[in-house]
Amino acid sequence: MAAQFGIKPSYTSAHFFTGGCGDMRGFTQAGFKSLYAANHHPASVQTARDNWPGLLVKEADVQSIDMRNVPSADVLVASPICTEASPNSGKTAPRAAIELDENGRPKPGPDWPQTRITMWEPVRYAEFHRPLAYVGENVPAFGNSPLFKAWLQVWDALGYTPTLASVNAAHLKVPGARPLPQSRDRLVWCFLRNDVVAKNGLPDLRPSCDAICPTCGPVEGVQRWKKNPDFPVGEYGPNRQYYYVCPDRRCRARVEPVIRGIGDVIDPAVSGDHFGNGYFKGKQRTTRTPYGQATRDRVAAGLEMYRGKPFIATLRNHCSASSLDDPIGTLSAQGGGHHYLVRPTASLTIDDCEYRPLTIQEKARCQGFPDGHEFAGTEHDKRLQVGNAVPVNVARWLAQRVQAVLPR
């Protein structure tokens, strides 16, 4: 099926990449040749250099880069920051402004970890280089941020036509790639140059999924929006904005995606510690602290629900225990220590359970990275890179769909 996308290695891409280079990995798998990559984070830059030897990789705040010094590529791949424009984690407002002292200097406060470029760096690149296409992704709330529609008008003024789509990495049907064992809703886009549109049309960014129809059996589920299908920005779910239906027009029954469970990427050789031993608090790792009552309650709920089978305890608001047959929830931009594997013992007591966080490699698999992909830096650096990366299967799907309309 991949052949229909006209894969050939002559298409080139430039990346203002995020995290551990999921966007570059996906585009490489689709046959693109990366010419350039830039990021402000030293460990992420080293990750790019380790995985793509010889690639021109620049460590710098992309906001400060003179776009004349960046190579021209067929496609620019760049995903803007979501923290300010569209807060993640269910937050509905940007973080509070930094307070200044009487001398106009910032008062001490929580550190702000820059993770991505702003919305305007792709505009600067396109103004100078005129790539055939610009693609990117973000949380769905990015599409409802105050500046998003104004941003689309800027691209219209530059001579590009936008195509938007909302996808979930746990469902997305991608030639050559399996769905991920992580539910991760993303808004994706392609801004295609108008002369390319006139010749080849717009890319097909209609997502589908493998599903089972109660009437027709195995089908390729079609996305159905509850309202406003002309502005497809939202999330999947019973109380969200879209779902899937059978493709047969005579049926159109609602269908559930075929999913891949987190158990598929768990390393059985990695053991945990007894829950009752607590955890080390602080850098010295000399004193153990008992787990809090909320965490105990989650483990207790899992023991009651799964009766001796291993499960995942998710340490987030409104989350509890989930089966290894289900995908985990979204890994956070900080790499999140939110997902813990619980292995009950024969006693089925809370304190005797084996308890551990998911490893870096297990989280990387949840993002679609192959085991051979290397992450540079400290454990904190690696967690951040994994959590902030573009899902590899989403990047690969975007690359394939855009490739289909590029000039031959």
Side-chain angles (χ1 to χ4, degrees), residues 87-92:
N88 55 16
S89 304
K91 299 175 183 176
T92 56

Side-chain angles (χ1 to χ4, degrees), residues 206-388:
R206 294 173 296 177
S208 64
C209 68
D210 286 325
I212 305 296
C213 174
T215 302
C216 305
V219 296
E220 189 167 320
V222 176
Q223 191 180 60
R224 172 68 60 86
W225 287 86
K226 296 178 181 179
K227 59 180 181 180
N228 201 14
D230 294 331
F231 188 67
V233 176
E235 299 178 354
Y236 169 82
N239 299 314
R240 300 300 181 180
Q241 291 74 41
Y242 74 87
Y243 54 95
Y244 297 99
V245 298
C246 177
D248 190 327
R249 294 182 181 275
R250 298 167 297 178
C251 179
R252 289 302 196 215
R254 187 164 180 163
V255 297
E256 295 299 322
V258 174
I259 55 175
R260 182 181 170 203
I262 180 64
D264 198 36
V265 301
I266 293 293
D267 186 345
V270 179
S271 61
D273 203 350
H274 287 300
F275 185 89
N277 291 344
Y279 64 99
F280 288 111
K281 190 173 184 179
K283 296 181 179 180
Q284 301 303 319
R285 297 183 63 82
T286 56
T287 303
R288 287 182 177 270
T289 301
Y291 289 103
Q293 188 59 48
T295 303
R296 291 186 67 88
D297 290 345
R298 288 180 171 94
V299 174
L303 287 173
E304 176 67 24
M305 192 179 306
Y306 299 110
R307 305 306 298 173
K309 294 181 180 179
F311 60 90
I312 296 292
T314 302
L315 309 188
R316 278 186 177 138
N317 290 337
H318 314 298
C319 294
S320 182
S322 59
S323 169
L324 296 191
D325 294 330
D326 294 327
I328 61 169
T330 304
L331 294 169
S332 75
Q334 295 305 310
H338 297 117
H339 305 97
Y340 286 75
L341 175 65
V342 184
R343 290 192 179 109
T345 60
S347 69
L348 292 182
T349 60
I350 296 175
D351 287 339
D352 283 348
C353 286
E354 186 181 306
Y355 187 77
R356 69 166 176 85
L358 298 185
T359 66
I360 297 295
Q361 186 175 63
E362 289 165 344
K363 292 177 182 180
R365 291 169 180 169
C366 289
Q367 285 279 55
F369 287 103
D371 286 351
H373 188 95
E374 300 178 10
F375 296 93
T378 65
E379 287 298 297
H380 173 76
D381 290 331
K382 293 175 182 178
R383 286 196 301 271
L384 186 147
Q385 290 177 69
V386 170
N388 195 49

Side-chain angles (χ1 to χ4, degrees), residues 112-286:
W112 176 66
Q114 178 184 351
T115 57
R116 296 187 174 199
I117 61 170
T118 74
M119 300 167 74
W120 306 110
E121 275 56 67
V123 172
R124 293 198 298 121
Y125 181 93
E127 184 180 22
F128 185 80
H129 291 286
R130 306 291 299 163
L132 300 174
Y134 159 51
V135 302
E137 61 92 66
N138 209 304
V139 295
F142 182 76
N144 294 315
S145 61
L147 287 177
F148 184 74
K149 290 187 178 179
W151 190 54
L152 296 184
Q153 291 177 352
V154 170
W155 285 96
D156 178 68
L158 285 174
Y160 288 79
T161 300
T163 303
L164 308 178
S166 292
V167 304
N168 189 301
H171 312 150
L172 189 62
K173 187 176 180 65
V174 185
R178 299 175 65 190
L180 301 187
Q182 175 200 188
S183 179
R184 192 178 186 94
D185 287 297
R186 310 309 287 176
L187 169 65
V188 299
W189 59 81
C190 170
F191 299 163
L192 195 63
R193 209 172 66 194
N194 287 343
D195 60 314
V196 181
V197 175
K199 182 177 180 181
N200 297 334
L202 292 168
D204 182 0
L205 296 190
R206 294 173 296 177
S208 64
C209 68
D210 286 325
I212 305 296
C213 174
T215 302
C216 305
V219 296
E220 189 167 320
V222 176
Q223 191 180 60
R224 172 68 60 86
W225 287 86
K226 296 178 181 179
K227 59 180 181 180
N228 201 14
D230 294 331
F231 188 67
V233 176
E235 299 178 354
Y236 169 82
N239 299 314
R240 300 300 181 180
Q241 291 74 41
Y242 74 87
Y243 54 95
Y244 297 99
V245 298
C246 177
D248 190 327
R249 294 182 181 275
R250 298 167 297 178
C251 179
R252 289 302 196 215
R254 187 164 180 163
V255 297
E256 295 299 322
V258 174
I259 55 175
R260 182 181 170 203
I262 180 64
D264 198 36
V265 301
I266 293 293
D267 186 345
V270 179
S271 61
D273 203 350
H274 287 300
F275 185 89
N277 291 344
Y279 64 99
F280 288 111
K281 190 173 184 179
K283 296 181 179 180
Q284 301 303 319
R285 297 183 63 82
T286 56

Side-chain angles (χ1 to χ4, degrees), residues 1-8 29-30 174-177 396 400-401 403-404 408:
M1 187 172 180
Q4 77 180 71
F5 292 101
I7 293 177
K8 63 177 186 177
Q29 290 176 352
V174 185
R396 182 171 180 164
Q400 291 172 343
R401 294 302 173 112
Q403 203 170 47
R408 296 289 190 262

